[in-house]
Amino acid sequence: MFSGFYGFPIGREIFLQDPVLSKIDKKYKILHGAFLKVNSNSAYHWHIDRKRGASINMLMTYESLSFALFYKNKDDYITDKQQFETVKLAYEPNHFFLFNTQQYHSLINFDAPRVIFSCLFEEEKDDLTYEMVKDYCIEINLAKESNV
């Protein structure tokens, strides 16, 4: 699950105490949760996740200047442009964010370690997409539309 991050697993009995995660888990089982750390002054390459179609993340540290970025136009990655537009995920304190792991994304971290909570659904990308989880979260009033 950690794929290049320093990870600390969190038991289901712990993270499912959160009412948001518990509601989502009723429809789409959350298999694992973990705190993932990125060191200061480091970056994670542009990629899409191999297995995950979506994830739910929460930024746990706000001392560091860091950016989670998405390609604005997914076709830019294929054409290998030298410059391309990005969209920054604007994390808010104490809020979960549904993360489209099948859209090219990257992380740039600066002056302090960065830690997020992230989860892994039981179903993989071919069976559970970002759109499916997003639609369910909107349906049960856990989420609103976003541009990312």
Side-chain angles (χ1 to χ4, degrees):
M1 172 184 179
F2 305 138
S3 191
F5 292 92
Y6 299 100
F8 181 79
I10 306 296
R12 275 179 52 82
E13 70 280 359
I14 303 293
F15 66 76
L16 288 181
Q17 290 178 29
D18 183 274
V20 170
L21 296 178
S22 180
K23 286 178 185 176
I24 294 169
D25 183 74
K26 283 182 174 53
K27 174 106 175 167
Y28 301 116
K29 183 176 179 183
I30 301 171
L31 195 58
H32 298 290
F35 291 118
L36 305 178
K37 177 186 164 194
V38 175
N39 288 330
S40 57
N41 301 311
S42 60
Y44 199 85
H45 64 92
W46 287 101
H47 69 287
I48 57 173
D49 289 18
R50 287 187 319 233
K51 295 182 178 184
R52 296 194 302 176
S55 127
I56 298 170
N57 295 351
M58 180 187 287
L59 185 62
M60 306 305 292
T61 53
Y62 288 90
E63 320 59 71
S64 175
L65 176 61
S66 66
F67 301 103
L69 302 170
F70 290 87
Y71 269 71
K72 187 169 187 175
N73 178 357
K74 66 180 181 172
D75 295 330
D76 284 347
Y77 192 82
I78 297 164
T79 61
D80 199 27
K81 289 183 175 181
Q82 296 295 314
Q83 291 188 30
F84 48 88
E85 290 184 76
T86 61
V87 176
K88 177 185 166 194
L89 176 58
Y91 279 105
E92 297 174 24
N94 303 311
H95 283 80
F96 287 109
F97 284 81
L98 180 61
F99 201 92
N100 186 350
T101 58
Q102 292 302 298
Q103 187 174 348
Y104 280 97
H105 56 282
S106 181
L107 170 70
I108 302 171
N109 190 44
F110 293 98
D111 52 346
R114 176 186 189 268
V115 177
I116 64 166
F117 169 83
S118 187
C119 70
L120 174 70
F121 289 100
E122 181 175 57
E123 296 175 89
E124 295 182 358
K125 68 180 182 180
D126 293 334
D127 298 314
L128 182 62
T129 67
Y130 165 82
E131 292 296 327
M132 292 166 68
V133 180
K134 181 183 89 169
D135 291 347
Y136 177 67
C137 289
I138 291 169
E139 176 186 318
I140 63 170
N141 297 314
L142 286 179
K144 59 184 178 189
E145 290 285 344
S146 171
N147 65 339
V148 177

